[in-house]
mmCIF file with all atom_site columns, all heavy atoms in Angstrom:
data_model
loop_
_atom_site.group_PDB
_atom_site.id
_atom_site.type_symbol
_atom_site.label_atom_id
_atom_site.label_alt_id
_atom_site.label_comp_id
_atom_site.label_asym_id
_atom_site.label_entity_id
_atom_site.label_seq_id
_atom_site.pdbx_PDB_ins_code
_atom_site.Cartn_x
_atom_site.Cartn_y
_atom_site.Cartn_z
_atom_site.occupancy
_atom_site.B_iso_or_equiv
_atom_site.pdbx_formal_charge
_atom_site.auth_seq_id
_atom_site.auth_comp_id
_atom_site.auth_asym_id
_atom_site.auth_atom_id
_atom_site.pdbx_PDB_model_num
ATOM 1  N N   . GLY A 1 59  ? -14.925 24.584 -4.268  1.00 93.00 ? 59  GLY A N   1
ATOM 2  C CA  . GLY A 1 59  ? -13.731 24.305 -5.059  1.00 93.00 ? 59  GLY A CA  1
ATOM 3  C C   . GLY A 1 59  ? -13.749 25.026 -6.391  1.00 93.00 ? 59  GLY A C   1
ATOM 4  O O   . GLY A 1 59  ? -12.710 25.496 -6.872  1.00 93.00 ? 59  GLY A O   1
ATOM 5  N N   . LEU A 1 62  ? -12.644 28.545 -5.820  1.00 93.00 ? 62  LEU A N   1
ATOM 6  C CA  . LEU A 1 62  ? -11.188 28.632 -5.703  1.00 93.00 ? 62  LEU A CA  1
ATOM 7  C C   . LEU A 1 62  ? -10.522 28.517 -7.073  1.00 93.00 ? 62  LEU A C   1
ATOM 8  O O   . LEU A 1 62  ? -9.564  29.235 -7.371  1.00 93.00 ? 62  LEU A O   1
ATOM 9  C CB  . LEU A 1 62  ? -10.671 27.523 -4.784  1.00 93.00 ? 62  LEU A CB  1
ATOM 10 C CG  . LEU A 1 62  ? -10.969 27.669 -3.292  1.00 93.00 ? 62  LEU A CG  1
ATOM 11 C CD1 . LEU A 1 62  ? -10.489 26.436 -2.543  1.00 93.00 ? 62  LEU A CD1 1
ATOM 12 C CD2 . LEU A 1 62  ? -10.313 28.921 -2.724  1.00 93.00 ? 62  LEU A CD2 1
ATOM 13 N N   . LEU A 1 63  ? -11.023 27.604 -7.884  1.00 91.00 ? 63  LEU A N   1
ATOM 14 C CA  . LEU A 1 63  ? -10.461 27.427 -9.222  1.00 91.00 ? 63  LEU A CA  1
ATOM 15 C C   . LEU A 1 63  ? -10.695 28.666 -10.070 1.00 91.00 ? 63  LEU A C   1
ATOM 16 O O   . LEU A 1 63  ? -9.824  29.052 -10.870 1.00 91.00 ? 63  LEU A O   1
ATOM 17 C CB  . LEU A 1 63  ? -11.095 26.197 -9.886  1.00 91.00 ? 63  LEU A CB  1
ATOM 18 C CG  . LEU A 1 63  ? -10.489 25.745 -11.218 1.00 91.00 ? 63  LEU A CG  1
ATOM 19 C CD1 . LEU A 1 63  ? -9.018  25.367 -11.045 1.00 91.00 ? 63  LEU A CD1 1
ATOM 20 C CD2 . LEU A 1 63  ? -11.277 24.567 -11.783 1.00 91.00 ? 63  LEU A CD2 1
ATOM 21 N N   . ALA A 1 85  ? -3.286  26.329 -8.642  1.00 90.00 ? 85  ALA A N   1
ATOM 22 C CA  . ALA A 1 85  ? -4.173  25.251 -9.072  1.00 90.00 ? 85  ALA A CA  1
ATOM 23 C C   . ALA A 1 85  ? -3.386  23.980 -9.372  1.00 90.00 ? 85  ALA A C   1
ATOM 24 O O   . ALA A 1 85  ? -2.314  24.024 -9.968  1.00 90.00 ? 85  ALA A O   1
ATOM 25 C CB  . ALA A 1 85  ? -4.970  25.689 -10.300 1.00 90.00 ? 85  ALA A CB  1
ATOM 26 N N   . PHE A 1 86  ? -3.935  22.853 -8.939  1.00 92.00 ? 86  PHE A N   1
ATOM 27 C CA  . PHE A 1 86  ? -3.358  21.528 -9.158  1.00 92.00 ? 86  PHE A CA  1
ATOM 28 C C   . PHE A 1 86  ? -1.934  21.408 -8.606  1.00 92.00 ? 86  PHE A C   1
ATOM 29 O O   . PHE A 1 86  ? -1.041  20.871 -9.245  1.00 92.00 ? 86  PHE A O   1
ATOM 30 C CB  . PHE A 1 86  ? -3.400  21.180 -10.648 1.00 92.00 ? 86  PHE A CB  1
ATOM 31 C CG  . PHE A 1 86  ? -4.794  21.246 -11.211 1.00 92.00 ? 86  PHE A CG  1
ATOM 32 C CD1 . PHE A 1 86  ? -5.188  22.318 -12.002 1.00 92.00 ? 86  PHE A CD1 1
ATOM 33 C CD2 . PHE A 1 86  ? -5.710  20.260 -10.914 1.00 92.00 ? 86  PHE A CD2 1
ATOM 34 C CE1 . PHE A 1 86  ? -6.479  22.395 -12.496 1.00 92.00 ? 86  PHE A CE1 1
ATOM 35 C CE2 . PHE A 1 86  ? -7.011  20.331 -11.406 1.00 92.00 ? 86  PHE A CE2 1
ATOM 36 C CZ  . PHE A 1 86  ? -7.401  21.398 -12.199 1.00 92.00 ? 86  PHE A CZ  1
ATOM 37 N N   . ALA A 1 90  ? -2.808  24.011 -3.278  1.00 94.00 ? 90  ALA A N   1
ATOM 38 C CA  . ALA A 1 90  ? -4.257  24.028 -3.521  1.00 94.00 ? 90  ALA A CA  1
ATOM 39 C C   . ALA A 1 90  ? -5.000  23.143 -2.527  1.00 94.00 ? 90  ALA A C   1
ATOM 40 O O   . ALA A 1 90  ? -6.133  23.452 -2.145  1.00 94.00 ? 90  ALA A O   1
ATOM 41 C CB  . ALA A 1 90  ? -4.549  23.578 -4.952  1.00 94.00 ? 90  ALA A CB  1
ATOM 42 N N   . ALA A 1 94  ? -8.036  24.517 -0.139  1.00 95.00 ? 94  ALA A N   1
ATOM 43 C CA  . ALA A 1 94  ? -9.334  23.841 -0.071  1.00 95.00 ? 94  ALA A CA  1
ATOM 44 C C   . ALA A 1 94  ? -9.679  23.480 1.369   1.00 95.00 ? 94  ALA A C   1
ATOM 45 O O   . ALA A 1 94  ? -10.816 23.676 1.823   1.00 95.00 ? 94  ALA A O   1
ATOM 46 C CB  . ALA A 1 94  ? -9.320  22.590 -0.947  1.00 95.00 ? 94  ALA A CB  1
ATOM 47 N N   . ALA A 1 162 ? -13.851 19.984 -2.606  1.00 94.00 ? 162 ALA A N   1
ATOM 48 C CA  . ALA A 1 162 ? -13.126 21.183 -3.028  1.00 94.00 ? 162 ALA A CA  1
ATOM 49 C C   . ALA A 1 162 ? -11.719 20.842 -3.488  1.00 94.00 ? 162 ALA A C   1
ATOM 50 O O   . ALA A 1 162 ? -11.197 21.446 -4.432  1.00 94.00 ? 162 ALA A O   1
ATOM 51 C CB  . ALA A 1 162 ? -13.069 22.191 -1.880  1.00 94.00 ? 162 ALA A CB  1
ATOM 52 N N   . THR A 1 163 ? -11.102 19.852 -2.825  1.00 94.00 ? 163 THR A N   1
ATOM 53 C CA  . THR A 1 163 ? -9.761  19.419 -3.220  1.00 94.00 ? 163 THR A CA  1
ATOM 54 C C   . THR A 1 163 ? -9.760  18.864 -4.636  1.00 94.00 ? 163 THR A C   1
ATOM 55 O O   . THR A 1 163 ? -8.851  19.132 -5.425  1.00 94.00 ? 163 THR A O   1
ATOM 56 C CB  . THR A 1 163 ? -9.239  18.345 -2.241  1.00 94.00 ? 163 THR A CB  1
ATOM 57 O OG1 . THR A 1 163 ? -9.241  18.881 -0.923  1.00 94.00 ? 163 THR A OG1 1
ATOM 58 C CG2 . THR A 1 163 ? -7.829  17.920 -2.610  1.00 94.00 ? 163 THR A CG2 1
ATOM 59 N N   . ALA A 1 164 ? -10.782 18.095 -4.957  1.00 93.00 ? 164 ALA A N   1
ATOM 60 C CA  . ALA A 1 164 ? -10.864 17.516 -6.296  1.00 93.00 ? 164 ALA A CA  1
ATOM 61 C C   . ALA A 1 164 ? -10.961 18.591 -7.370  1.00 93.00 ? 164 ALA A C   1
ATOM 62 O O   . ALA A 1 164 ? -10.401 18.445 -8.463  1.00 93.00 ? 164 ALA A O   1
ATOM 63 C CB  . ALA A 1 164 ? -12.076 16.578 -6.381  1.00 93.00 ? 164 ALA A CB  1
ATOM 64 N N   . MET A 1 165 ? -11.647 19.703 -7.055  1.00 93.00 ? 165 MET A N   1
ATOM 65 C CA  . MET A 1 165 ? -11.839 20.758 -8.040  1.00 93.00 ? 165 MET A CA  1
ATOM 66 C C   . MET A 1 165 ? -10.589 21.594 -8.250  1.00 93.00 ? 165 MET A C   1
ATOM 67 O O   . MET A 1 165 ? -10.182 21.855 -9.383  1.00 93.00 ? 165 MET A O   1
ATOM 68 C CB  . MET A 1 165 ? -12.992 21.664 -7.589  1.00 93.00 ? 165 MET A CB  1
ATOM 69 C CG  . MET A 1 165 ? -14.358 21.005 -7.644  1.00 93.00 ? 165 MET A CG  1
ATOM 70 S SD  . MET A 1 165 ? -14.901 20.618 -9.334  1.00 93.00 ? 165 MET A SD  1
ATOM 71 C CE  . MET A 1 165 ? -15.113 22.266 -10.001 1.00 93.00 ? 165 MET A CE  1
ATOM 72 N N   . ILE A 1 166 ? -9.952  22.019 -7.171  1.00 93.00 ? 166 ILE A N   1
ATOM 73 C CA  . ILE A 1 166 ? -8.843  22.962 -7.273  1.00 93.00 ? 166 ILE A CA  1
ATOM 74 C C   . ILE A 1 166 ? -7.482  22.271 -7.343  1.00 93.00 ? 166 ILE A C   1
ATOM 75 O O   . ILE A 1 166 ? -6.541  22.789 -7.945  1.00 93.00 ? 166 ILE A O   1
ATOM 76 C CB  . ILE A 1 166 ? -8.860  23.965 -6.087  1.00 93.00 ? 166 ILE A CB  1
ATOM 77 C CG1 . ILE A 1 166 ? -7.755  25.009 -6.214  1.00 93.00 ? 166 ILE A CG1 1
ATOM 78 C CG2 . ILE A 1 166 ? -8.723  23.243 -4.763  1.00 93.00 ? 166 ILE A CG2 1
ATOM 79 C CD1 . ILE A 1 166 ? -7.897  25.950 -7.358  1.00 93.00 ? 166 ILE A CD1 1
ATOM 80 N N   . ALA A 1 167 ? -7.360  21.097 -6.721  1.00 93.00 ? 167 ALA A N   1
ATOM 81 C CA  . ALA A 1 167 ? -6.057  20.420 -6.654  1.00 93.00 ? 167 ALA A CA  1
ATOM 82 C C   . ALA A 1 167 ? -5.964  19.195 -7.537  1.00 93.00 ? 167 ALA A C   1
ATOM 83 O O   . ALA A 1 167 ? -4.861  18.756 -7.888  1.00 93.00 ? 167 ALA A O   1
ATOM 84 C CB  . ALA A 1 167 ? -5.742  20.040 -5.203  1.00 93.00 ? 167 ALA A CB  1
ATOM 85 N N   . GLY A 1 168 ? -7.100  18.609 -7.883  1.00 91.00 ? 168 GLY A N   1
ATOM 86 C CA  . GLY A 1 168 ? -7.061  17.398 -8.700  1.00 91.00 ? 168 GLY A CA  1
ATOM 87 C C   . GLY A 1 168 ? -6.687  16.167 -7.886  1.00 91.00 ? 168 GLY A C   1
ATOM 88 O O   . GLY A 1 168 ? -6.707  16.174 -6.653  1.00 91.00 ? 168 GLY A O   1
#
Side-chain angles (χ1 to χ4, degrees):
L62 288 175
L63 188 61
F86 303 104
T163 302
M165 291 294 293
I166 183 66

